[in-house]
Amino acid sequence: MRPQTGVGVDGGILPMPSPEHGAIVAATILNSPWATEVSVYVVRAFVKLRELLASHRALAKRLEELVLTTDFFDYRHQGC
């Protein structure tokens, strides 16, 4: 995933907080065991989601490499 950015007062680019950061802040403000438990659940869900997206990207890249290789060998075979 790409990091989100915002523009600062002086025109510089500032990092934007991630969605799971909001869950942690909410748990801190609410200061209850339930809020803490829910924020941990939310953070874990985002971590799993990022891992899933990363694995799909890796698989898609590998598949594209295999398709290109297969196309190359098919082209060579037809040219003979």
Side-chain angles (χ1 to χ4, degrees):
M1 290 188 138
R2 263 165 122 191
Q4 296 176 345
T5 59
V7 178
V9 176
D10 62 349
I13 296 176
L14 301 173
M16 299 284 280
S18 58
E20 61 268 27
H21 179 77
I24 295 169
V25 170
T28 303
I29 292 170
L30 294 173
N31 196 22
S32 73
W34 183 79
T36 303
E37 184 179 340
V38 170
S39 70
V40 169
Y41 180 79
V42 169
V43 170
R44 286 181 181 162
F46 273 99
V47 168
K48 288 261 189 209
L49 180 62
R50 285 196 178 117
E51 289 172 353
L52 183 65
L53 287 173
S55 77
H56 276 57
R57 285 188 186 130
L59 287 173
K61 182 179 178 186
R62 182 67 180 133
L63 179 61
E64 181 64 27
E65 291 169 356
L66 290 172
V67 166
L68 290 174
T69 303
T70 305
D71 288 346
F72 173 73
F73 285 119
D74 187 41
Y75 176 76
R76 282 184 55 198
H77 179 68
Q78 289 176 359
C80 290

